[in-house]
Amino acid sequence: MQTTVETTEKHTVKLTIEVPADEYAKDLDAAYRSIANQVKIPGFRKGKIPKQIIDAQIGADVVRDEFIQAAVPSYYRQAISDEDLAPISDPEIDLDEGFDVDKPLVFTAVVEVRPRLEFTPDDYRGLKVSRPPIEVSDQEIDDWVNRLRERFAELEPAARPVQDGDFATIDVLATAEGEEIDGLSRTDYLYFVGSGEFGPNLDTEIVGTKPGGILKVSEEITATAGEDLAGKTADMTVLVKDVKARILPEPDDDFAKTASEFDTIAQLRDDLRTRLGELKEREAEGVVRDRALQAMIDKVVVELPESLVEDETDHRVAHAKERAERAGLTVDQLLEAQGWDEARLREDSRDHAIRAITSDLVLEGIARAEDLEVTADEIGAEIAQLAQAYDRDPKDLAKQLDRSGQIVTLAGDIIRGKALDLLVEHADIETEAATPAEPTPAKTEETG
């Protein structure tokens, strides 16, 4: 089979495919067998009808149509693979109506394809990339210890006005347009001041209120409280019944024994330093990969087919709607909670679509330049990980992926991952200077 490729317009190519008669003979025979199994001709067993009888009784043109419908798509796919093209639309196939089974089969296919980026190693090796610092400061350890202390805090009655960080026992009567809102009203509710659970206004007004005090605050209701209430104003009458201060344990050896498997606070801090260092190492690695890829994206100029961008944008918008449904919301409710509208969602989805497509093109270009390939063992290992994550049998999952054509997608993901590994491996990485962390001291309260 011989294929020639001609660029007809931007992102569109015309393939002229020629299949010699001796190459398509087996497919023509398959067309005869298919018809022989479908028809009944007196004097012949089904499936055993000679070709000349089929031509005479059924018609050679019927055989040719059967052959073309079955074989041409296969020849087209083979040509696309041979020429390393990635179609993004269905082809327009044109076949000479005067096709003769004794002559080569010649047809054309016009199709829109993904752009290709071609690189040399100098294009993507030696990229300058900054790496976040991974040193763990004493202040960061202090912050983690303080958060751990907050988990083991005790509550004690406080004979004083409410302060930020207290717990207050409150009754809440919430109404909207004169009707009580069951989802917001509470009785004897232990409320953490500063949590924003009832909106920011209550947290502001309750500070400084003594037990027995009554507050009246209003708050706009968000979509998460219910579609019928969204946008309305909730009027809340709040009775502060008592105040409880959090008493945090001292960060000493006794606290270490209570809060961890360690006997001393020094051992606990050493363990936190190790764990935080490992976490920052993983995060830094992810940042370096993102920055290396972005640095490469910034170097290329590629005009993407609008159909490709629109398809990816539509996919991302649909995925956002699916996420909203899984959360029990409509997409409008989810967007309102974020302060967005559908136009903003589509704009954001389009921006991400363009970056994602360009990223794939960059990594595919690097993979071609390096002749990167994926092995059966690598695909098997990836399927095994997916099977474990979704509690599936690896063999069943492999069959499903193969039937749906997703094995090709999986192989592409693996190759692009290898290309990104190589990009990072050959980058010129400089670690950023550490900046002092802002202290976040634990809040302790004294009763009195």
Side-chain angles (χ1 to χ4, degrees):
M1 189 174 77
Q2 181 178 349
T3 304
T4 59
V5 181
E6 173 190 357
T7 300
T8 58
E9 56 184 281
K10 189 173 294 183
H11 310 310
T12 301
V13 297
K14 178 181 179 181
L15 290 80
T16 302
I17 302 165
E18 180 176 333
V19 187
D22 59 345
E23 288 189 27
Y24 67 68
K26 65 180 185 302
D27 294 320
L28 185 59
D29 288 343
Y32 274 103
R33 288 194 301 272
S34 175
I35 291 176
N37 285 315
Q38 297 176 44
V39 301
K40 293 181 180 180
I41 297 179
F44 297 95
R45 287 187 299 163
K46 196 172 184 179
K48 299 296 182 178
I49 307 171
K51 294 179 182 179
Q52 61 269 27
I53 299 299
I54 292 177
D55 288 343
Q57 296 289 327
I58 306 300
D61 56 336
V62 174
V63 179
R64 285 195 293 269
D65 289 344
E66 177 84 14
F67 160 68
I68 289 168
Q69 290 177 12
V72 166
S74 176
Y75 299 147
Y76 163 73
R77 289 191 295 269
Q78 182 62 49
I80 286 292
S81 176
D82 291 345
E83 299 299 325
D84 195 19
L85 299 173
I88 57 176
S89 64
D90 293 330
E92 296 180 6
I93 293 179
D94 185 20
L95 178 69
D96 185 358
E97 293 183 1
F99 164 61
D100 188 331
V101 295
D102 294 324
K103 297 179 179 179
L105 170 67
V106 180
F107 66 95
T108 62
V110 177
V111 65
E112 192 174 23
V113 295
R114 284 163 62 96
R116 285 170 61 105
L117 295 176
E118 302 293 342
F119 300 123
T120 65
D122 288 342
D123 293 327
Y124 52 81
R125 297 193 179 203
L127 293 174
K128 293 189 177 299
V129 178
S130 62
R131 176 187 181 89
I134 59 173
E135 293 82 4
V136 181
S137 68
D138 289 339
Q139 182 60 60
E140 289 173 306
I141 301 300
D142 290 342
D143 292 343
W144 277 89
V145 169
N146 286 338
R147 283 193 286 270
L148 192 57
R149 290 170 64 202
E150 289 174 352
R151 290 176 52 189
F152 286 85
E154 296 181 353
L155 299 182
E156 290 188 0
R160 56 161 174 72
V162 176
Q163 296 181 7
D164 188 31
D166 282 343
F167 280 84
T169 303
I170 61 175
D171 288 347
V172 180
L173 175 62
T175 62
E177 300 178 352
E179 296 290 332
E180 183 175 355
I181 307 171
D182 293 334
L184 288 180
S185 295
R186 301 281 195 280
T187 301
D188 291 330
Y189 186 67
L190 189 62
Y191 176 65
F192 177 50
V193 179
S195 67
E197 182 179 350
F198 293 92
N201 293 338
L202 177 58
D203 285 331
T204 299
E205 297 296 329
I206 198 172
V207 171
T209 303
K210 295 180 180 179
I214 297 177
L215 303 171
K216 292 186 179 294
V217 296
S218 297
E219 199 74 57
E220 183 177 347
I221 304 174
T222 64
T224 55
E227 190 172 358
D228 57 330
L229 296 172
K232 295 183 179 180
T233 298
D235 298 313
M236 293 178 285
T237 301
V238 181
L239 169 62
V240 179
K241 291 185 170 181
D242 63 33
V243 181
K244 293 182 175 65
R246 291 185 303 165
I247 307 300
L248 275 60
E250 290 297 322
D252 53 20
D253 292 346
D254 289 337
F255 167 68
K257 293 175 183 177
T258 300
S260 70
E261 70 271 29
F262 301 105
D263 292 329
T264 67
I265 190 65
Q267 291 173 334
L268 173 58
R269 290 178 66 90
D270 287 344
D271 181 69
L272 288 172
R273 189 180 300 277
T274 298
R275 291 172 183 264
L276 186 55
E278 292 171 350
L279 175 63
K280 295 181 78 170
E281 185 78 41
R282 290 192 296 271
E283 290 177 343
E285 180 65 25
V287 170
V288 167
R289 292 173 72 83
D290 286 343
R291 289 177 177 175
L293 180 54
Q294 188 61 53
M296 192 61 201
I297 290 173
D298 292 341
K299 289 184 65 174
V300 304
V301 177
V302 57
E303 185 176 345
L304 302 177
E306 185 61 25
S307 60
L308 186 61
V309 175
E310 283 298 302
D311 284 348
E312 180 65 19
T313 301
D314 290 342
H315 172 74
R316 290 172 179 269
V317 170
H319 187 58
K321 293 180 178 179
E322 291 172 3
R323 289 200 311 270
E325 290 173 1
R326 287 197 297 268
L329 302 170
T330 66
V331 69
D332 289 337
Q333 290 173 331
L334 181 65
L335 293 174
E336 183 179 346
Q338 296 176 312
W340 285 19
D341 57 18
E342 192 148 357
R344 172 69 186 278
L345 170 63
R346 188 159 191 86
E347 179 185 359
D348 183 74
S349 298
R350 182 180 175 86
D351 290 342
H352 282 85
I354 291 172
R355 199 229 184 228
I357 295 168
T358 307
S359 298
D360 285 352
L361 295 177
V362 163
L363 295 176
E364 289 162 9
I366 294 173
R368 279 192 297 271
E370 296 285 339
D371 292 324
L372 299 180
E373 295 180 348
V374 59
T375 67
D377 287 343
E378 289 169 336
I379 292 177
E382 190 70 20
I383 290 175
Q385 289 185 0
L386 290 172
Q388 183 176 10
Y390 292 101
D391 194 22
R392 296 281 304 277
D393 179 76
K395 292 183 179 179
D396 290 342
L397 181 58
K399 291 178 181 177
Q400 178 185 337
L401 294 174
D402 189 37
R403 286 194 300 267
S404 64
Q406 290 179 292
I407 287 288
V408 176
T409 302
L410 186 63
D413 290 340
I414 294 172
I415 288 178
R416 284 189 289 270
K418 287 184 174 183
L420 183 53
D421 290 341
L422 186 143
L423 189 65
V424 172
E425 177 185 348
H426 293 284
D428 181 5
I429 302 172
E430 182 177 347
T431 301
E432 301 169 353
T435 55
E438 290 292 330
T440 54
K443 297 176 182 178
T444 59
E445 302 292 349
E446 297 297 333
T447 60

